[in-house]
Amino acid sequence: MGAQAQRRPTLDEVALRAGVSRSVASRAINNARDVSRNARDAVQKAVRELEYVPNPTAKALATSRAGTVLLAVSHDDLGLFADPFFAHVIVGINAALEKTDLVLMLLLADSERGRERLERVLRSRRADGIMLLALHGDDPLYRLAQSLDLPVVVGGRPIHGEPTWYVDADNRGGARLATEHLISAGRQRIAAITGGQDTHAGMARHQGYREAMAVAGLDGSRTEPSDFTELGGVAAMTRLLERYPDLDAVFAASDNMAAGAIRALKAAGRSVPEDVAVVGFDDLPIARNTVPALTTIHQPVQALGQEMAKMLIDLMAGEQPNPLLLRTHLVVRASAP
Amino acid sequence: MGAQAQRRPTLDEVALRAGVSRSVASRAINNARDVSRNARDAVQKAVRELEYVPNPTAKALATSRAGTVLLAVSHDDLGLFADPFFAHVIVGINAALEKTDLVLMLLLADSERGRERLERVLRSRRADGIMLLALHGDDPLYRLAQSLDLPVVVGGRPIHGEPTWYVDADNRGGARLATEHLISAGRQRIAAITGGQDTHAGMARHQGYREAMAVAGLDGSRTEPSDFTELGGVAAMTRLLERYPDLDAVFAASDNMAAGAIRALKAAGRSVPEDVAVVGFDDLPIARNTVPALTTIHQPVQALGQEMAKMLIDLMAGEQPNPLLLRTHLVVRASAP
DNA sequence: AAGTGGACTGGAAGCGCTTCCAGTATCGCC
DNA sequence: GGCGATACTGGAAGCGCTTCCAGTCCACTT
């Protein structure tokens, strides 16, 4: 460490040096009103000379605003956190926060213990606002945050009780897009592998598929439930082939499941996309690494994070922003040209 | 929000209700000494009844400890942050922090603006300790943290000036492992695609390769520099094939480059692993999705995060832990059986 | 010349907690 | 029974900042 533990200058010393009172110095620094041009200049000079940096803790105590926002991820399986999805969300959040003085706190809760800790952090008001990610069903966390009178923005939507403020990808629209792409390519017997129907995304993507099929007057009942994972995709595809050996296309509600489906199709001797076209959802890196590369629905994950943070900032400023649905788009690759 | 903004109970009220003075209440809550059994019980009861949660800001001000640690990622290309590497590190850090009262702050700095912000956060001592990730060369951040007299733990090692406290994977050992595997499989003309030689990992992996080759009495000069990316791997492999058309194996210093190398080899009509065996480094998810699946070196990324956090905690407690090198191991898949 | 409003100032009271320290019970011991 | 030692207690002084509020000062009106 080396350097002697030098005491940092306080506002008092700045004021002293600038020849003004502490309150003036404070106002000058937070550029509030009622500070003369002279005083402001003198304070700025003193700040520079002393290398003064305000003590955020003291400020927080005085204003009772922590100056932080919390990103909470509550999920039993943190392996899921490894999904690039989260990283992109965080990059987006970071970008939005960069324009402010807010600092991001991150809390992952996988265990009961972790959730208690999260609850304590919330209750202690270490953060002025909270962003919730990957809520399963009716996560108690949401209710807690609500009851604590803290601004909450949810990324994605929990299944029960639509939160007042959320940012989500347009899952239903994306699934329609995917299905319509298959239809317009002339496919007729289009099956779907659905994701966990205990998540909003799982349901919405299923619904989008059914809508597109209905609009085209096709049979939308060839569906097989699964769980968003690659292994789940393999199993679901295998079952689909047994039940509907004549299918000519599959919409999988996640890229991981789509990758699994491709593996199962190949194992069954079907060629992709000739015999069976496959479309996924998410546009994860894996979509470029399947063979053939995966046609999929891209969702703007980074924008999701950014909009979540923006919405939270608005909320903390007392505004009443509207929930946001982010547009998705089709990325055509080889698995469904 | 609904609920009226109820004022939270303060320590004073707890003390009043428990029939003790505030200082006793404080000591009871922080279970310090000089509190009678009776007093302690009464305080605990009052805490429960009032649902008292201490105000961390006030505590921080009084003790001048923020109760937080910062994870700072300073890198020009935040696309790199999407790498599951970071997510795993964070999961590890989170796990170590869960046992304490420390909260994690996350700051990504890609722009100059972001770096200034990071510097301000450090200077303001919003965090009691800092973990640095992905330092390129001699990041000024490290020096700053040092000069601020803040405990710093570096994940990975910057190229210049070994930091006092770091946790790193044993890159050199891993690269030796990889190369030795190829050698013991009977390969003779083993080339290497190296990663950025302005990073410690890039250099150490290069060195491990050379050592293994030297020990076996083989020519370790067939190397081609690259940049850790898949595209870089394609280009480097292409150049290698031009220069050494007879090579029979490649060690790529990252999985991404290895994936690129495989693509380039296939494009050149070489079969993997028959004509050319390939070994990567990192054991990222992509290693399972290449065709053939990639033999690679696994590094314990989650443990890396966990150990970083543990080391930082020790450091903040005034201890002097030792730098840590985490063992890597070989994962054999199809690309180099 | 006195009065009025506006622009600015600075003393002082907190924000909720920790912790020093002087003080008071309580105890064992000879 | 009196002594010091020990175990506890609670008042009070901060930690560094914001912000209210009672003033001061000045430039204008009428």
Side-chain angles (χ1 to χ4, degrees), chain B residues 86-251:
Chain B
F86 291 96
H88 279 118
V89 171
I90 290 177
V91 169
I93 291 175
N94 189 73
L97 255 32
E98 205 159 71
K99 293 161 194 149
T100 72
D101 276 333
L102 294 165
V103 175
L104 177 66
M105 292 182 152
L106 181 59
L107 216 44
L108 315 182
D110 52 345
S111 57
E112 196 46 47
R113 183 174 167 59
R115 253 174 295 255
E116 276 166 25
R117 190 153 163 271
L118 183 44
E119 180 170 341
R120 289 206 31 202
V121 170
L122 286 190
R123 280 197 193 285
S124 73
R125 265 200 141 67
R126 281 185 95 117
D128 300 327
I130 162 171
M131 291 172 282
L132 252 35
L133 221 47
L135 284 174
H136 244 279
D138 46 353
D139 200 301
L141 212 52
Y142 178 67
R143 227 178 299 280
L144 176 66
Q146 285 276 68
S147 77
L148 251 37
D149 199 25
L150 267 178
V152 196
V153 170
V154 178
R157 279 169 286 179
I159 191 161
H160 296 122
E162 186 141 310
T164 318
W165 289 286
Y166 64 83
V167 181
D168 198 2
D170 182 4
N171 286 301
R172 189 151 60 95
R176 282 190 65 154
L177 241 43
T179 312
E180 284 162 4
H181 176 68
L182 290 169
I183 294 169
S184 67
R187 308 287 172 162
Q188 301 276 327
R189 294 171 303 280
I190 306 170
I193 301 175
T194 63
Q197 296 294 300
D198 57 337
T199 66
H200 183 91
M203 287 180 54
R205 293 175 189 179
H206 188 175
Q207 199 180 347
Y209 158 79
R210 278 199 314 254
E211 282 177 14
M213 294 298 275
V215 165
L218 295 174
D219 174 11
S221 72
R222 294 186 179 88
T223 67
E224 183 65 37
S226 187
D227 61 356
F228 285 126
T229 70
E230 186 165 351
L231 249 50
V234 172
M237 190 68 241
T238 308
R239 290 194 299 270
L240 277 177
L241 283 173
E242 280 168 17
R243 287 167 50 198
Y244 314 106
D246 64 338
L247 52 78
D248 60 7
V250 179
F251 163 59

Side-chain angles (χ1 to χ4, degrees), chain A residues 22 27 104 111 113 157 165 186 231 247 255 287 314:
Chain A
R22 177 167 33 163
R27 272 184 254 126
L104 177 65
S111 57
R113 184 176 166 58
R157 278 170 288 178
W165 289 286
L231 250 48
L247 52 78
D255 283 352
D314 286 351

Side-chain angles (χ1 to χ4, degrees), chain A residues 177-225:
Chain A
L177 240 45
T179 311
E180 284 161 6
H181 175 67
L182 290 170
I183 294 170
S184 67
R187 308 286 171 163
Q188 301 277 327
R189 294 171 302 281
I190 307 171
I193 301 176
T194 63
Q197 297 295 300
D198 57 337
T199 66
H200 184 90
M203 287 181 53
R205 291 175 190 179
H206 188 176
Q207 199 179 348
Y209 158 80
R210 278 200 312 255
E211 282 178 14
M213 294 298 276
V215 166
L218 295 174
D219 174 11
S221 71
R222 294 187 180 86
T223 67
E224 183 65 37

Side-chain angles (χ1 to χ4, degrees), chain A residues 1 3-6 8 51 53-58 60-61 66-68 78 81-82 84 87-88 90-91 94 97-111 113-114 117 120-121 123-126 146-147 149-152 165 230 286 289 291, chain B residues 1 3-6 8 51 53-58 60-61 66-68 78 81-82 84 87-88 90-91 94 97-111 113-114 117 120-121 123-126 146-147 149-152 165 230 286 289 291:
Chain A
M1 294 284 120
Q4 73 283 18
Q6 68 278 22
R8 299 170 45 208
E51 292 192 314
V53 181
N55 179 327
T57 306
L61 184 59
T68 61
L78 278 187
F81 182 72
H88 279 118
I90 290 176
V91 170
N94 190 72
L97 255 33
E98 204 159 71
K99 292 161 195 147
T100 72
D101 276 332
L102 294 165
V103 174
L104 177 65
M105 291 182 154
L106 181 59
L107 216 43
L108 314 183
D110 53 344
S111 57
R113 184 176 166 58
R117 190 154 163 270
R120 290 208 29 203
V121 170
R123 282 199 192 284
S124 72
R125 266 201 139 69
R126 283 184 95 116
Q146 286 276 68
S147 76
D149 200 24
L150 268 177
V152 196
W165 289 286
E230 185 166 351
I286 194 183
N289 288 310
V291 180
Chain B
M1 293 284 113
Q4 73 281 20
Q6 70 278 24
R8 298 172 46 210
E51 293 191 313
V53 181
N55 178 327
T57 308
L61 184 58
T68 62
L78 278 188
F81 183 71
H88 279 118
I90 290 177
V91 169
N94 189 73
L97 255 32
E98 205 159 71
K99 293 161 194 149
T100 72
D101 276 333
L102 294 165
V103 175
L104 177 66
M105 292 182 152
L106 181 59
L107 216 44
L108 315 182
D110 52 345
S111 57
R113 183 174 167 59
R117 190 153 163 271
R120 289 206 31 202
V121 170
R123 280 197 193 285
S124 73
R125 265 200 141 67
R126 281 185 95 117
Q146 285 276 68
S147 77
D149 199 25
L150 267 178
V152 196
W165 289 286
E230 186 165 351
I286 194 182
N289 287 310
V291 180

